[in-house]
Amino acid sequence: MCVASLRLSGPGAHLCYHCLPPGVATSGGIAAGLIGAFTGFTQPAITAVVTGPASVKLGVDPNKSAGTHAHAGHLGNFAGFTHPTLLAVIATTGITFGWINAIGLGTALAIFLVSFLRMRGDVKDRAKQSPAELKEALKDFQRKDDEPATWWVLLPFLIFIVGFAMGYPVFVVGFIVSVIVMLMARSNPMDTERSMLESVQRVAVPLIATIGFLYMSAVIGAIGITDLLGDWFEPLIDTAPIITLILVSAVAGLLTQSNSASAAIILPMLSIVMATGDVNPLAAAAAAAGPTAVMQYFLTGGPVAALATTIPVVPDSDLKLANKFQRPSQLVGLLFVSAVAIILGGF
């Protein structure tokens, strides 16, 4: 237990007040990532709207809070069960769900851990709040007697996940859940509609960017760049297939800024590597799916369902500064998944 601790309530109830503020931001990002892992659409703002302002009020730098929340995309894309690129990699390598998801979870948690430690160090250096002040700040986030129970608040999320898992279209399920939330909150239908439209506006620009990246992916496939890359990397494929996949996947994610658009580059290379017949399928899958899931967020924080949609709900945060904070943690994630792939399958 941390030496600096805060007694909240009851005998022995202590909480490290250097760990609490970054822990709020980290837990919010992980929760959003877990939701995205099942639904196929990772939206960190869904939890950041609550845990973002909370962490900032407790002393976390707004940009670092926003950046940490947006790490949710790494977890949703690489540890989940629905992203098209991951599904295509699984099909190409002939593996099943299980270990590949565990590797994705480990990669995402490594990224979260590094950001948590960096935020914790920053809070220790910056925070001048006393335990009493922190305890007072926490009162805003403690459940009041007239507030609903936790299970009631989480019910719409559970309905959404169950509906999606049963195969219903995500937009239909989302609309039904929105109506349920409106009824639960006893909100005015016009106000609810206005809130929904505001959410659409936040996603519109990143979504258009994603369409542009998907077009770029199609162009890459049509003009033969993949074949050219195959010729360039052929000597390296023969001697170091796993490292080749890591490099190609990382560069594809970095340049396209889209895990989906990267598939046009990654899958042909993965097929070439698998055709050699002397590669560990799990290692190849990790090398192909992992680096792009990390590096797609490196340059801008991601075009959709990532940092661009988190900034509006975290007070006083800035996209460029938040993305700058993300990068060292993402490089650790890239190193982690690369090391796992090499340990499993060699070079």
Side-chain angles (χ1 to χ4, degrees):
M1 184 176 67
C2 182
V3 174
S5 60
L6 171 66
R7 182 183 294 275
L8 294 178
S9 63
H14 289 80
L15 191 57
C16 168
Y17 61 80
H18 291 149
C19 300
L20 175 62
V24 170
T26 304
S27 61
I30 292 175
L34 291 174
I35 294 171
F38 288 98
T39 62
F41 184 71
T42 308
Q43 177 54 273
I46 201 170
T47 53
V49 69
V50 176
T51 53
S55 61
V56 171
K57 187 170 183 179
L58 288 169
V60 176
D61 181 274
N63 299 312
K64 296 178 181 180
S65 176
T68 300
H69 278 89
H71 288 327
H74 303 303
L75 198 159
N77 285 342
F78 191 20
F81 302 91
T82 54
H83 196 282
T85 299
L86 180 60
L87 295 178
V89 167
I90 289 174
T92 303
T93 55
I95 63 172
T96 59
F97 287 118
W99 281 112
I100 186 63
N101 303 97
I103 295 172
L105 179 61
T107 302
L109 292 181
I111 295 172
F112 274 113
L113 176 60
V114 174
S115 287
F116 169 83
L117 294 175
R118 293 167 61 209
M119 283 190 296
R120 183 178 181 276
D122 181 62
V123 168
K124 291 179 68 175
D125 292 338
R126 294 173 62 245
K128 302 299 182 183
Q129 293 172 300
S130 67
E133 290 172 327
L134 283 171
K135 186 176 180 179
E136 182 65 26
L138 284 173
K139 288 183 179 180
D140 292 341
F141 314 116
Q142 293 175 353
R143 180 176 174 270
K144 298 177 176 60
D145 293 337
D146 58 345
E147 290 181 344
T150 302
W151 69 267
W152 180 253
V153 175
L154 293 177
L155 183 61
F157 296 106
L158 296 177
I159 294 174
F160 185 84
I161 292 174
V162 171
F164 182 84
M166 292 176 65
Y168 295 105
V170 65
F171 293 105
V172 174
V173 178
F175 175 77
I176 293 174
V177 170
S178 298
V179 174
I180 292 174
V181 171
M182 180 188 72
L183 296 175
M184 291 171 61
R186 300 178 182 178
S187 176
N188 184 296
M190 299 303 295
D191 292 338
T192 303
E193 181 186 29
R194 191 177 301 110
S195 297
M196 294 174 66
L197 291 175
E198 289 175 356
S199 299
V200 171
Q201 290 174 358
R202 291 175 181 172
V203 176
V205 173
L207 188 59
I208 292 173
T210 299
I211 294 173
F213 290 131
L214 291 174
Y215 174 76
M216 181 194 309
S217 175
V219 171
I220 288 172
I223 65 178
I225 289 181
T226 303
D227 294 334
L228 182 62
L229 289 175
D231 294 337
W232 286 355
F233 283 101
E234 185 174 0
L236 189 56
I237 290 175
D238 293 335
T239 57
I242 297 300
I243 290 180
T244 302
L245 282 175
I246 291 171
L247 292 175
V248 170
S249 178
V251 171
L254 181 69
L255 295 182
T256 65
Q257 299 182 60
S258 168
N259 202 8
S260 298
S262 299
I265 299 174
I266 296 169
L267 294 179
M269 295 296 293
L270 179 60
S271 298
I272 294 172
V273 169
M274 293 304 298
T276 64
D278 191 28
V279 177
N280 182 304
L282 179 58
T292 183
V294 174
M295 297 305 291
Q296 66 165 328
Y297 297 110
F298 190 81
L299 290 179
T300 62
V304 67
L307 191 56
T309 57
T310 307
I311 293 296
V313 300
V314 179
D316 301 321
S317 59
D318 176 80
L319 191 145
K320 290 183 179 180
L321 295 177
N323 179 230
K324 184 178 179 181
F325 169 77
Q326 289 181 313
R327 291 174 181 173
S329 302
Q330 291 166 341
L331 290 178
V332 172
L334 176 63
L335 180 62
F336 178 90
V337 70
S338 301
V340 170
I342 291 173
I343 290 172
L344 290 174
F347 294 103

